[in-house]
Amino acid sequence: MTVSPAQVTQHDVAEAIRRNILEGDLVAGQRLVEADLSESLGASRGAVRGALIDLTHEGLVERIANRGARVRVVSIEEAVEIIEVRAAVEALCAAKAAEKITDEEIAELRRLGEEMSAAVASGDVGTYSRLNTHLDERFVAISGQQVAAETLARLQGRSVRHQYRLAYRPGRSQVSLPQHLAIIEALARRDPAAADTAVRAHLASVLEAVREIAPSR
């Protein structure tokens, strides 16, 4: 079935661009040319223009005078601030999730932990990184904190470049795996305080590692 440009909405275009930024297909500083995006996404120029405006408001895209739009460049300093905010918001979500989690969700998270362990054992950094993101998404969803979820979604894209570099740093997965497993076990015990502490400990480790890569940015 052929999809006409009129059927591809501004929301569809924004979702597609956002996903490409989050997955690293569009990198920091890369130009976003309306004509190219319109052709590749099968959307009208108006839908693309509106989507870029929406993503600018989210902080994922920036508009440069006389040069158009590009994927926003986030400094190490801003990335640090984002992680500090994430620590507070994700810790809240983890504590709430520990109060609400079901037996089925506990089993799901434990299976996820097993998959993460297997990915680290096999050296599959890409899969491990995706599973990390999925774990975060799951306990935030379990928490039922919609405003927190929306806040975290906006923050994630703004720091994706630093997250990607950190994920592929030698030895990083061996450091972070026990931290993620600790989060899962705290949730499985339905212990809000332990879940809060485990998330804060993990993101403190992330913060330290991001600061260490600052000289090489």
Side-chain angles (χ1 to χ4, degrees):
M1 180 179 67
T2 300
V3 178
S4 72
Q7 293 175 286
V8 181
T9 68
Q10 179 175 316
H11 174 77
D12 295 333
V13 175
E15 282 293 308
I17 297 173
R18 185 185 296 108
R19 183 173 60 252
N20 286 333
I21 292 173
L22 293 177
E23 294 177 354
D25 296 325
L26 292 172
V27 299
Q30 183 171 339
R31 288 191 64 209
L32 300 170
V33 181
E34 287 184 9
D36 294 344
L37 290 169
S38 178
E39 181 178 356
S40 65
L41 297 174
S44 69
R45 291 283 292 271
V48 170
R49 188 174 302 115
L52 292 176
I53 291 172
D54 290 343
L55 294 171
T56 299
H57 293 323
E58 290 183 25
L60 294 179
V61 169
E62 59 185 345
R63 305 187 78 84
I64 309 298
N66 303 317
R67 296 183 63 185
R70 69 175 185 177
V71 179
R72 188 165 177 266
V73 178
V74 176
S75 68
I76 286 288
E77 292 75 20
E78 185 174 351
V80 165
E81 291 185 22
I82 289 169
I83 294 167
E84 290 172 339
V85 173
R86 279 184 56 200
V89 178
E90 289 190 16
L92 167 67
C93 290
K96 293 292 185 180
E99 296 173 353
K100 298 179 179 181
I101 196 165
T102 66
D103 290 344
E104 291 77 11
E105 288 164 341
I106 289 172
E108 175 194 353
L109 293 188
R110 282 190 161 143
R111 286 194 300 271
L112 183 56
E114 292 171 358
E115 292 174 12
M116 293 167 71
S117 297
V120 171
S122 65
D124 189 347
V125 177
T127 295
Y128 177 65
S129 181
R130 287 191 294 275
L131 292 171
N132 285 350
T133 300
H134 185 52
L135 171 61
D136 292 343
E137 291 171 347
R138 286 303 297 132
F139 76 70
V140 170
I142 292 167
S143 76
Q145 300 293 300
Q146 186 58 41
V147 173
E150 292 169 357
T151 299
L152 291 168
R154 288 195 297 271
L155 292 175
Q156 184 183 9
R158 291 170 61 179
S159 60
V160 68
R161 176 174 71 100
H162 301 293
Q163 293 172 2
Y164 180 84
R165 291 175 63 194
L166 183 58
Y168 281 85
R169 194 175 187 193
R172 178 61 200 170
S173 58
Q174 286 80 6
V175 172
S176 67
L177 176 61
Q179 298 166 355
H180 286 109
L181 296 179
I183 294 170
I184 291 171
E185 285 309 306
L187 292 168
R189 295 197 309 272
R190 296 186 170 95
D191 187 334
D196 179 300
T197 298
V199 166
R200 290 181 186 275
H202 168 59
L203 286 170
S205 172
V206 171
L207 187 60
E208 180 181 359
V210 165
R211 283 175 169 148
E212 288 175 356
I213 66 174
S216 62
R217 69 182 184 272

